[in-house]
Amino acid sequence: MRTTRAAVAATAVLSLALTACGQSEGRGGGSDKDTEGGTVGIAMPTKSSERWIADGRNMAELFEEKGYKTDLQYGDDRVENQVSQLENMISKGHRALVVAAIDGSSLTDVLRSAKEAGIPVISYDRLIRGTENVDYYASFDNERVGKLQAQYIVDALKLEENPEEKFNIEMFAGSPDDNNTTYFWQGAQQVLKPYLDGKQLVVRSGQTKMNQVTTLRWDGGTAQKRMDDLLSRHYADEDVHAVLSPYDGISIGVISALKSVGYGSSGKDYPVVTGQDAELASVKSIIAGQQTQTVYKDTRKLAKQAVQMTDAVLTGGKPETNDEKTYDNGVKTVPAYLLDPVSIDRDNTDLLVEEGYYEAGQLK
């Protein structure tokens, strides 16, 4: 059959249009009849963070080891992309959905469609809110993440040993549309509140409420701009001694702002800067004496837990949970399995190598 140039061009345009709706890494695809286990849809938020790339890859490999095909999609941090991807997975008859939501409150309608189609939904790392149509939740102990970050600040500044000494702190929170942001913040504030109330920790900006310090989409550039503003407005004649940062990408932005006004040079030490996810750039920054701490969450274990949960649902078993009281999404309390996070600083970065999370050469 003859193919005209116009037809080729039209096909190319259609292909680009389909690709533009979001980042895709479908593995296998096709009809669920092509494989005994069927296809599991995996909806991840973005490729802009290395951890989500690893999460998606790890789950796809583990599902395939169990005999499933996978349809791995990345939403490019655009809610409409993720909704469209989930609608497509439902229309294809995927047997289950594992979803790390971009906006945990924006999936009500599409998950109703999943329920009507008899497709179970596992909420991955970020709790999906406002719907009864989520079956299980796999994550880390998110409140403990915030406690680890805050306790590190307390210990590093030796607040207990020096009750009369005052320190300046500024605080950042995660994206306002991510349910985990609240848990990280609550955990941190439980630890910091006595020192804030006692004026041992001083927030010179006065920005002490979560809604004043959130960082949309966890964006490092947004964090850098805010830190630039804080430094210029409130720290012309004062040093900042600690920055509560909930995520490594935010921490990198904060450190860039600090560098721009001389921290890390001319005898001006960096403040204590926390983080989360043990991303490679931040681990290297910790080793270099810039970022101070991060919270290591072994996402390989999280991927394994989500796969086990999904497989149990699909094979008539009961998924393992260890928390059936905490995670109320506004409509129901979602049964959860929580893993333990670990605090990392210069003294224990070797743990990441020992556990095979990174190779030694990567940290140099």
Side-chain angles (χ1 to χ4, degrees):
M1 183 173 75
R2 223 174 133 194
T3 303
T4 66
R5 290 185 181 179
V8 171
T11 301
V13 169
L14 177 60
S15 176
L16 285 170
L18 290 171
T19 302
C21 75
Q23 302 158 333
S24 170
E25 278 196 7
R27 297 168 66 116
S31 168
D32 277 355
K33 295 178 182 179
D34 295 339
T35 183
E36 182 179 346
T39 301
V40 175
I42 304 171
M44 295 285 101
T46 181
K47 283 186 175 179
S48 66
S49 169
E50 65 186 51
R51 70 139 308 180
W52 294 117
I53 297 173
D55 284 60
R57 181 181 63 245
N58 290 337
M59 275 191 284
E61 290 174 354
L62 290 167
F63 273 121
E64 288 163 17
E65 287 175 7
K66 287 183 174 292
Y68 298 95
K69 282 192 172 184
T70 57
D71 183 2
L72 172 58
Q73 303 283 336
Y74 290 86
D76 198 23
D77 267 336
R78 296 171 64 89
V79 174
E80 61 269 29
N81 286 357
Q82 189 166 68
V83 170
S84 177
Q85 289 163 355
L86 289 168
E87 287 173 342
N88 193 38
M89 292 172 183
I90 293 166
S91 70
K92 287 182 177 179
H94 291 353
R95 292 194 63 203
L97 302 176
V98 180
V99 183
I102 294 170
D103 180 341
S105 300
S106 298
L107 301 178
T108 304
D109 291 342
V110 70
L111 295 189
R112 184 183 301 115
S113 297
K115 179 68 173 181
E116 291 169 354
I119 301 172
V121 175
I122 308 299
S123 185
Y124 186 87
D125 198 50
R126 298 173 172 180
L127 183 65
I128 298 171
R129 297 190 56 78
T131 176
E132 64 180 354
N133 300 316
V134 55
D135 297 280
Y136 291 94
Y137 178 44
S139 189
F140 288 85
D141 186 336
N142 297 309
E143 194 168 277
R144 178 158 171 74
V145 170
K147 288 179 179 178
L148 288 173
Q149 292 165 340
Q151 190 61 51
Y152 194 91
I153 290 172
V154 169
D155 294 342
L157 296 180
K158 299 183 178 179
L159 299 184
E160 287 291 318
E161 295 92 325
N162 302 291
E164 303 303 318
E165 197 166 351
K166 297 185 183 300
F167 299 90
N168 296 322
I169 185 173
E170 293 295 336
M171 298 185 288
F172 285 73
S175 192
D177 52 13
D178 184 342
N179 190 71
N180 285 352
T181 292
T182 300
Y183 286 101
F184 299 148
W185 180 260
Q186 289 175 344
Q189 296 310 303
Q190 286 178 33
V191 175
L192 295 179
K193 189 175 187 301
Y195 306 100
L196 292 166
D197 289 348
K199 308 298 183 186
Q200 194 175 359
L201 287 176
V202 179
V203 182
R204 292 180 60 80
S205 69
Q207 296 173 12
T208 59
K209 294 182 171 58
M210 193 182 83
N211 63 5
Q212 295 175 303
V213 303
T214 52
T215 311
L216 186 63
R217 300 290 185 264
W218 303 86
D219 181 63
T222 300
Q224 182 173 344
K225 289 176 184 176
R226 178 169 175 256
M227 193 68 202
D228 283 333
D229 184 65
L230 292 174
L231 292 168
S232 64
R233 286 174 176 263
H234 305 288
Y235 292 93
D237 301 313
E238 290 271 353
D239 288 341
V240 58
H241 302 109
V243 179
L244 175 70
S245 167
Y247 160 59
D248 287 347
I250 290 174
S251 310
I252 292 295
V254 166
I255 290 167
S256 294
L258 291 166
K259 284 181 181 178
S260 71
V261 294
Y263 285 88
S265 62
S266 305
K268 191 171 185 178
D269 294 336
Y270 285 106
V272 178
V273 180
T274 62
Q276 178 182 184
D277 281 348
E279 293 192 343
L280 185 58
S282 282
V283 176
K284 288 182 174 181
S285 179
I286 289 169
I287 292 170
Q290 299 171 352
Q291 187 172 324
T292 322
Q293 180 258 11
T294 188
V295 176
Y296 165 46
K297 303 190 305 185
D298 191 339
T299 55
R300 297 167 302 179
K301 295 178 181 178
L302 182 59
K304 183 177 181 181
Q305 191 62 43
V307 169
Q308 289 175 340
M309 278 182 160
T310 309
D311 183 56
V313 170
L314 294 178
T315 56
K318 179 174 173 56
E320 181 184 5
T321 60
N322 59 11
D323 188 321
E324 300 202 0
K325 297 180 180 179
T326 303
Y327 286 89
D328 184 345
N329 76 351
V331 175
K332 66 183 286 188
T333 299
V334 184
Y337 191 96
L338 306 180
L339 291 95
D340 289 326
V342 178
S343 183
I344 296 287
D345 65 7
R346 290 180 80 176
D347 292 336
N348 66 339
T349 56
D350 286 349
L351 177 66
L352 302 172
V353 176
E354 292 168 7
E355 296 200 352
Y357 202 71
Y358 292 121
E359 296 179 2
Q362 291 180 277
L363 304 186
K364 295 180 180 178

